[in-house]
Amino acid sequence: MKGPKTVYDGLPAPTQAHKSSSSCATFKKALLVPVIVAACLTGRHYLSSNAAPWSSGFLDDTIGRDLRAKEPLCPQSVPLVPEKNAQMWARLGSSYGTKEFVTKAVEYLGGAVRVRTESFDKMDVVGKDPRWEVFGPFHNYLLETFPLVHSTLALTKVNTYGLVYEWKGSDSSLKPLLLAAHQDTVPVDMTTLDQWEHPPWSGYFDGERVWGRGSSDDKSGLIGIMTTLETLISNEWTPTRGIVLAFGFDEEASGLHGASALGKYLEKTYGENAFSMLVDEGGEFSQQKGAVIAVPGIGEKGYLDVRVEVTSPGGHSSIPPAHTSIGILASLLVQYETNPYKVSLNRTTPVYGFVQCLAAHAPDVPASLKKKIRKSLGSNKALKEAEKELFQDPTIKNLAATTQAIDLIDGGVKTNALPERAWAVVNHRIATESSVDATKAHDTALLKELAAKFNLSYTAFGETLTSEPAYGTLTLSDAWGAALEPAPISPTDADAAAYKILSGTIKATYNAHRSLKDDGIVVAPGIMTGNTDTRYYWKLTENIFRYNHHNQGSGKALSGVHTVNESIPVDAFVEMIRFFTTLILNVDESKAL
Ligand SMILES: *[C@@H]1O[C@H](CO)[C@@H](O)[C@H](O)[C@H]1NC(C)=O
Ligand SMILES: *[C@@H]1O[C@H](CO)[C@@H](O)[C@H](O)[C@H]1NC(C)=O
Ligand SMILES: *[C@@H]1O[C@H](CO)[C@@H](O)[C@H](O)[C@H]1NC(C)=O
Ligand SMILES: [Zn+2]
């Protein structure tokens, strides 16, 4: 059997929970003793005693902040295991390792894959476009598969196929936790059917992986959440803090009908800033520079497609002008490519937070670069030096930048007719520190000189800049009106309780899933280059995290997300369930949120 070594067994029963808990608590007043701090930080206590020294309460107090401040570069939360629910957590953890549970999990996920739920671009509204109807059978599947969730939680359908489940907590003064996932999948290219190792809607389990469209993106998330809740209910657990689930149905087609309606519904029903935190699909964890790093998305880049259109007089090609519409457009596009957006490594970008984590925790980052990054905290010169070196990696550079890519072009109809019109579309992913307006202003200024040179009257984003009689026109516009601002950045500072709880949960899950004695995973903030359904949820909470506790390293080449051979190792799926279980319990116990 290839693939990662499977470690199903969870933690043994927490025999010394309280003893160990107090042992670290005692040290709270002696935090200046570095050795003790280090021992607590590594979670050694909790793991060697199989106990839970760090309660959520720990994160509430000022000592927690002091602890983090000891390492200015990418401070890490401690692994956070449930305390009040310690026994149940350990018991569930062990049960997740059993063949019985794994078999059930495989059936749940495989069954969900067998219900085909593709979404497509440019679908008509629900009720008109029959392609939405595939979500009816999917709802039936959920109803049959998770009876306890359906008898315990209140279900509201929004715009027919959007699902909102609500489990009220016993303390209505606490802001609920919001978990999101999407029911739809990208379509399968039918010309590639014969390339699938197992058919895309088979949900086939080969003993290691579950195969098919959606097995990873994002039915693993949705079924992972439902399985966790079904399990918690069957264990007679009830929440103190409410839990709300929001499942869109066209995330892969920008969420125009699903999450957009869900966002409005949630805002109307619960109000602005009504949730303690939101976890949706997003970043994963993987091996990077010698460390295992989990990268929850704390922001998303913005988006703008700029249509650049040139018109000029037509006529016969035998008596051409020096520049046709196409030639002029070509000059404008060259102007773009010779002047890429300036990019700098600002201290406010999540990318900076990410490289700090690399420097602090990834052994394979060269020592000289680590030093520059460390120094860059207080020195602009070092920041520039670090930037220069880091930006040699195009991924890092592009994440920090407003990018541009000329993706569409059109013009001309015939070889003996001068083109009266030519246009192109330039795709921008907007840096988290920038904005749609700044991007529009940049492009407008970029082409101004050429507009004058070619004697074009110039209109940019509805504003007429030159209107004197001209040879032709240049018009910039938002190509489809789909501009999106960069998402607000979720807080990760020393006081950011939600981020700490998420981080501690990631660590506890990772360690428990592998029975690790030492803390095995680093959590680093990331940003998404694409956008998830959360684009419609910005007002619901400032703590938005886009994260799948999914091991990218366990099969990036094999994961097949958005292409043929999509599949997920069952071990990775079970680890996701472990994550949701730990998250729900930790969030429920926290008083800091
Ligand atoms: C999918 O898996 C099959 C069988 O292993 C393999 O032959 C095929 O090349 C894979 N397709 C892609 C695109 O990786
Ligand atoms: C980033 O910082 C540089 C100075 O180092 C500044 O000129 C630039 O405007 C900043 N970028 C953004 C997007 O804030
Ligand atoms: C621009 O074109 C207009 C219309 O053809 C013409 O009247 C005007 O003289 C031109 N201006 C320049 C600077 O060539
Ligand atoms: Zn997805």
Side-chain angles (χ1 to χ4, degrees), residues 182 217-218 251-252 281:
H182 61 90
D217 182 9
D218 178 34
E251 193 277 341
E252 302 291 3
E281 64 171 347

Side-chain angles (χ1 to χ4, degrees), residues 210-231:
V210 176
W211 290 80
R213 174 62 79 234
S215 57
S216 179
D217 182 9
D218 178 34
K219 288 181 174 171
S220 61
L222 192 153
I223 299 298
I225 293 168
M226 293 297 265
T227 304
T228 301
L229 290 180
E230 190 78 4
T231 306

Side-chain angles (χ1 to χ4, degrees), residues 4-19:
K5 196 167 151 280
T6 302
V7 185
Y8 285 140
D9 275 342
L11 292 175
T15 45
Q16 297 178 37
H18 294 291
K19 192 169 164 210

Side-chain angles (χ1 to χ4, degrees), residues 11 14 17 46-47 50-57 59 78-86 89-90 501 504-505 507-509 511-512 582 585-586 589:
L11 292 175
Y46 127 63
L47 284 159
N50 306 311
W54 302 107
S55 67
S56 325
L59 292 164
V78 291
L80 184 67
V81 304
E83 188 176 65
K84 206 175 99 203
N85 295 288
W89 181 74
I501 289 171
T505 298
K507 285 166 178 274
T509 304
N511 298 345
T582 312
L585 297 177
N586 279 338
E589 292 182 9

Side-chain angles (χ1 to χ4, degrees), residues 8-13 87-99 101 578:
Y8 285 140
D9 275 342
L11 292 175
Q87 299 221 359
M88 187 184 64
W89 181 74
R91 196 173 65 243
L92 292 182
S94 309
S95 79
Y96 292 166
T98 62
K99 195 152 186 258
F101 184 85
R578 198 186 294 276

Side-chain angles (χ1 to χ4, degrees), residues 132 142 243 285 313 362 446 467 530:
W132 295 121
L142 294 179
I243 298 171
F285 64 87
L446 179 72
S467 56

